[in-house]
């Protein structure tokens, strides 16, 4: 059966809308810690939620010399750290347990980010500039 152009277009729009809402995930806050050491810093997340089916324990290690830049996006209250990172993670299983062995360990040029909307009492800019000697860029 042939459908008119308008009908086909309407079906495509409805299909995209249905798929978009079916796969949309609710944003879940993921607690994190930033630990500063003499030569490096660690962004540690006990449980980071990617979507309904994937959550991980993550450990991101940045040597200060390998950090290219740190950016704060004011409009969305998010810090982005760019540079060479040693990234290790463990996937949570469906029953909520972790493997004893990590699921991935890589050293890659990448970005690590975190949101600060619920953490207004911490001056991350001050701490990053103090420990890393990298000036934090603030954008709208």
């Amino acid at each position: 059966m042939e459908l008119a152009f308008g009908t086909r277009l309407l079906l495509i729009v409805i299909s995209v809308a249905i798929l978009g809402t079916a796969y949309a995930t609710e944003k879940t806050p993921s607690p994190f810690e930033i630990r500063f050491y003499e030569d490096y810093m660690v962004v540690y997340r006990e449980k980071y939620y990617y979507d309904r089916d994937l959550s991980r324990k993550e450990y991101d290690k940045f040597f200060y010399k390998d950090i290219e830049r740190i950016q704060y996006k004011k409009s969305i209250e998010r810090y982005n750290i760019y540079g060479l990172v040693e990234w290790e993670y463990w996937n949570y299983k469906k029953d909520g347990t972790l493997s004893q062995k990590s699921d991935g360990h890589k050293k890659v040029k990448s970005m690590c980010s975190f949101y600060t909307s619920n953490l207004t009492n911490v001056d991350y800019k001050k701490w990053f500039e103090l420990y890393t000697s990298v000036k934090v860029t603030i954008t709208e």
Side-chain angles (χ1 to χ4, degrees):
M1 171 170 93
E2 281 195 39
L3 297 174
F5 175 75
T7 306
R8 279 188 272 173
L9 184 61
L10 182 61
L11 284 173
I12 291 170
V13 170
I14 290 172
S15 299
V16 169
I18 289 171
L19 287 174
T21 56
Y23 290 105
T25 58
E26 183 179 323
K27 299 292 182 196
T28 305
S30 298
F32 65 93
E33 292 179 23
I34 299 177
R35 301 174 187 164
F36 294 98
Y37 298 95
E38 190 172 324
D39 295 333
Y40 63 92
M41 70 179 215
V42 171
V43 178
Y44 172 73
R45 293 178 173 99
E46 182 62 35
K47 196 164 194 177
Y48 187 68
Y49 300 92
Y50 283 91
D51 60 35
R52 281 184 215 134
D53 300 323
L54 178 63
S55 54
R56 290 181 172 155
K57 175 179 177 179
E58 292 188 348
Y59 180 91
D60 299 326
K61 180 178 179 181
F62 288 90
F63 282 93
Y64 300 136
K65 65 181 179 56
D66 295 330
I67 296 175
E68 294 173 2
R69 65 187 163 112
I70 301 172
Q71 178 185 47
Y72 178 65
K73 292 194 173 202
K74 203 172 187 178
S75 60
I76 57 175
E77 300 180 59
R78 183 178 78 190
Y79 276 92
N80 297 326
I81 306 165
Y82 297 88
L84 189 62
V85 61
E86 185 178 335
W87 178 50
E88 189 167 11
Y89 63 90
W90 297 259
N91 290 335
Y92 278 90
K93 298 176 189 171
K94 296 288 182 198
D95 65 1
T97 61
L98 283 172
S99 309
Q100 294 299 320
K101 184 179 173 231
S102 77
D103 291 295
H105 188 191
K106 302 174 184 179
K107 195 166 188 177
V108 294
K109 192 172 184 177
S110 184
M111 175 191 80
C112 173
S113 64
F114 60 91
Y115 292 90
T116 62
S117 56
N118 296 329
L119 306 166
T120 56
N121 60 340
V122 179
D123 188 355
Y124 289 100
K125 181 180 181 298
K126 174 183 131 185
W127 293 110
F128 283 136
E129 290 179 350
L130 176 69
Y131 281 97
T132 68
S133 301
V134 174
K135 178 130 177 70
V136 175
T137 305
I138 299 173
T139 61
E140 293 301 316

